[in-house]
Amino acid sequence: METRTIEQLSENFQQKIDADIKIEPNDWMPDNYRKALIRQISQHAHSEIVGMLPEGNWITRAPSLRRKAVLLAKVQDEAGHGLYLYSATETLGISREETIDDLHEGKVKYSSIFNYPTLTWADMGAVGWLVDGAAIMNQVALCRTSYGPYARAMVKICKEESFHQRQGYEIMTSLMNGTEVQKAMAQDALNRFWWPALMMFGPSDAESKHTEQSMRWRIKRYTNDELRQSFVDATVPQAELIGLTIPDPKLRWNEERGHYDFGDIDWDEFWQVVGGNGPCNKERIEARVKAKEEGAWVREAALAFASKSKSRQN
Amino acid sequence: MSSNEWPLWEVFIRSKQGLNHKHVGSLRAPDAAMALQNARDVYTRRSEGVSIWVMQSALITASDPKESGPMFEPADSKVYRHPTFYDLPDGIEHM
């Protein structure tokens, strides 16, 4: 077989990307593409798993059996989504355990939003409506990402997540149809989650060090600012419809642009939270490490049982 | 610690009677019974299947993408295997 140089392979690779031909696990890919994907997909997987914590907090205190069943189903979905994504990460040649240890050792991040506490029941509404809403905005775009296993995981996740945002909005709607205290609770949840939700899309395009290369490789299909704008445009009318006020005095419709203008994001806060100094960073990682360590004996026992059963069969 | 990792399984699902089992993804499980159980919870939460196969990933032999040129070339060069290769006289509409 002819041996091809890295340059030829790279050129051929970029041609496939440009022609929207998906890259599959055993195909040749540049090292940096592989690394960028491992970073992006594992970060996404960790976000699904860590994202179970703030909502798990409310399962036992859901106000009705219906709400409890829904919240359980949603949190179970997040576990499944984490699993699809860990599987996709593994196709890139990194082991699942290594990926998880990277999170526990702080080498890899997860979505900054999960470092905020969920203080009231209304937060379950805000999280579903805003956080899942923002995530879906990002994930729908990623269904067309260039790496096959990632794109397929995204398609499945998007299908399943469509109820997540609706159930959150339904919680907010119910509260806004309730007493003054309930309305205030919903507004307070929006006030606390609005800006962190906007921060979920990541730094502005000018500041984002990965965007340009990621766009060229089509592991990102829209920039952070584009997605953020789409989210604001979609969400503002939803808030208005049920009588909620977006906590941004600079927010107004810009006829000329055909988009909402909105105020400046507090990037200091964003970098603080990303850097590990958010209200719940420590608690979240501790919970994950504890789960891994305290579950170790179960995993070992299951493996021992499997090998014993196998030896009995032989 | 990675020798202690549960083996990887590939999951195939028949979405309804009359259709093939189709690959849907993978998961880790200590044995086949747990792999089936986990596959049900992970891949059929919304009635996606009526039957599941699981198989250890390590047992799969795959073709090499680097060799896909020579591997599949015989099919590319035999256009006469397709019905469109043949000329039919006017007047024959369906054959």
Side-chain angles (χ1 to χ4, degrees), chain A residues 97 303, chain B residues 1-6:
Chain A
E97 179 148 24
L303 211 49
Chain B
M1 204 29 216
S2 47
S3 59
N4 279 345
E5 254 187 319
W6 289 353

Side-chain angles (χ1 to χ4, degrees), chain A residues 1 4 26-28 73 76-78 80-81 83-84 87 90-91 95-98 156 159-161 163-164 292 296 298-300 302-303 305-306 309-310, chain B residues 1-9 13 23-32 34 38 41-46 48 56 62-67 70:
Chain A
M1 219 191 88
R4 282 183 286 182
N26 296 327
D27 293 347
W28 187 89
Q76 194 190 8
D77 273 354
E78 315 293 4
H81 298 171
L83 189 134
Y84 309 150
S87 294
E90 281 190 284
T91 64
S95 81
R96 187 168 308 196
E97 179 148 24
E98 211 178 322
K156 206 161 158 43
K159 245 186 239 167
E160 297 186 347
E161 282 219 335
F163 100 76
H164 294 186
K292 190 188 170 199
V298 179
R299 294 192 298 278
E300 281 162 25
L303 211 49
F305 176 76
S309 321
K310 211 174 173 184
Chain B
M1 204 29 216
S2 47
S3 59
N4 279 345
E5 254 187 319
W6 289 353
L8 194 63
W9 300 75
I13 288 178
H23 183 244
V24 293
S26 52
L27 51 78
R28 286 190 176 274
D31 57 28
M34 283 293 288
N38 290 352
D41 291 343
V42 175
Y43 292 106
T44 64
R45 285 197 303 281
R46 287 171 177 79
E48 290 95 335
Q56 274 205 27
S63 64
D64 182 350
K66 284 199 290 296
E67 305 285 345

Side-chain angles (χ1 to χ4, degrees), chain A residues 54-65 67-69 71-72 75 121 124:
Chain A
E55 288 179 308
N57 186 33
W58 281 92
I59 290 176
T60 55
R61 287 174 284 162
S64 70
L65 190 55
R67 296 281 187 218
K68 185 172 180 167
L71 192 56
L72 261 174
V75 172
W121 171 252
M124 293 303 96

